[in-house]
Amino acid sequence: MSSITETTVEELQNYQEYIDKGIDWALSILPNLIMAIIIFVVGFWVISFINRMVRRFFDKKDYDETLETFLQSFISIALKAILAVLVVTQLGVKTSSLVAILGAAGLAIGLALQGSLANFAGGVLILIFKPFKVGDWISAQGVDGTVKEISIFNTKLTTFGNQVAIIPNGQLSNGNIVNFNMENTRRGKFDVGIGYGSNIKKAKDILLQMCAECPDILTEPAPEVYVGGLGDSSVNLTLRFWANNEVFWPAHFFVIEQTKLRFDKADIEIPFPQRVIHEAD
């Protein structure tokens, strides 16, 4: 009985020793833990303050908006990474060990996030070569829209229907891009068919006069009309005109509507498919 009691006492002493060691360890790291929490809270506030200052700086300066959004995103991520290193170091992780851990983790993350790294590299290429900028209307990866934002990893487009399309920068930097705003002016093309019995010269004069009366269509380069082909039931005319980017679509829709109205007024036929049904005897 006494041996059992002695064994129980020894176990309790061992438990107490473990508890004492745990308390000592907790007390030893408590100052570092408290300091790490303070560094995290203060650091996060400082990062938010720096981000606000960066935004205000760019708002006051007339820099490229594409560069502004990219740098703001990059600075925010870099500062948060530095803060994470400071917090971990404060918890007692040695710098040499941290470097080794980061190196191994960086290799593993790099292999796992090859797509993200490609998107980051694509963002840098977009920033350097500037195939487009914020506010440009582009067509890329099967999406048409206005560039809303260029961040480190992706680009946001606002489509014609006011949806937001998010395209990875890696695909943008390696794919075909059509930038409709890189030039100040844009050429429009409009095809219309007239009947074989209609006067071609009269139809061409009407189209040119219509362009001359539209304030959104440029007089230089001058609009031009030519016969683009002879169809099965129509003579196909092609009108080409130039307009500034900001008024291109009003000019485009003006041409479509006015062509129909003016051809009707001049008795110029615009053929359309017809089906003739004969009744059986």
Side-chain angles (χ1 to χ4, degrees):
M1 184 72 175
S2 60
S3 60
I4 296 176
T5 304
E6 291 177 357
T7 302
T8 304
V9 171
E10 290 179 358
E11 291 178 351
L12 292 174
Q13 290 176 346
N14 291 334
Y15 290 147
Q16 184 64 41
E17 183 179 353
Y18 293 145
I19 293 173
D20 291 339
K21 288 182 179 180
I23 294 174
D24 292 339
W25 177 81
L27 291 175
S28 66
I29 68 167
L30 185 60
N32 289 337
L33 179 61
I34 294 175
M35 185 58 65
I37 294 174
I38 294 174
I39 290 175
F40 176 79
V41 174
V42 175
F44 201 84
W45 180 86
V46 171
I47 291 174
S48 299
F49 176 77
I50 292 175
N51 287 335
R52 289 197 299 270
M53 291 299 100
V54 170
R55 284 194 294 269
R56 291 180 183 176
F57 173 79
F58 283 127
D59 289 340
K60 294 180 180 179
K61 302 293 182 179
D62 188 19
Y63 290 116
D64 185 1
E65 191 174 354
T66 303
L67 178 64
E68 293 178 13
T69 56
F70 187 90
L71 287 180
Q72 288 176 17
S73 178
F74 181 80
I75 291 172
S76 178
I77 292 176
L79 291 175
K80 289 177 181 177
I82 294 173
L83 177 61
V85 172
L86 292 176
V87 171
V88 173
T89 303
Q90 183 61 39
L91 290 175
V93 179
K94 295 182 179 180
T95 306
S96 58
S97 301
L98 183 60
V99 171
I101 293 173
L102 290 177
L107 178 60
I109 293 173
L111 294 175
L113 300 178
Q114 294 183 26
S116 297
L117 295 177
N119 292 332
F120 175 78
V124 174
L125 291 176
I126 292 172
L127 183 65
I128 293 175
F129 295 105
K130 296 182 179 179
F132 56 83
K133 63 182 184 298
V134 173
D136 284 351
W137 179 275
I138 67 171
S139 177
Q141 300 298 316
V143 180
D144 297 345
T146 302
V147 180
K148 178 180 180 182
E149 178 184 335
I150 302 174
S151 62
I152 291 180
F153 298 111
N154 54 60
T155 295
K156 295 181 180 179
L157 304 182
T158 302
T159 66
F160 188 78
N162 201 35
Q163 292 90 21
V164 176
I166 302 175
I167 305 177
N169 286 336
Q171 297 179 12
L172 279 178
S173 61
N174 292 313
N176 296 326
I177 300 173
V178 179
N179 189 335
F180 295 96
N181 292 108
M182 187 164 286
E183 301 294 339
N184 294 327
T185 59
R186 182 175 170 186
R187 187 176 71 177
K189 178 185 176 184
F190 174 66
D191 296 322
V192 61
I194 63 174
Y196 273 95
S198 300
N199 189 315
I200 295 178
K201 184 178 183 306
K202 183 178 180 181
K204 293 172 69 174
D205 290 341
I206 290 174
L207 293 176
L208 292 176
Q209 181 63 30
M210 173 187 65
C211 292
E213 294 176 4
C214 178
D216 295 331
I217 294 178
L218 299 176
T219 57
E220 185 63 36
E224 57 183 1
V225 184
Y226 55 87
V227 178
L230 301 176
D232 293 336
S233 58
S234 65
V235 177
N236 299 323
L237 302 181
T238 297
L239 168 66
R240 290 185 174 180
F241 62 91
W242 292 82
N244 292 322
N245 279 322
E246 59 271 16
V247 294
F248 174 80
W249 288 110
H252 174 77
F253 295 129
F254 174 87
V255 165
I256 296 175
E257 180 179 355
Q258 288 297 314
T259 297
K260 177 65 169 64
L261 294 176
R262 298 186 185 215
F263 277 10
D264 287 347
K265 187 176 181 180
D267 293 328
I268 295 178
E269 178 190 4
I270 301 178
F272 57 92
Q274 301 183 49
R275 176 176 296 178
V276 179
I277 300 176
H278 299 278
E279 294 183 0
D281 294 336

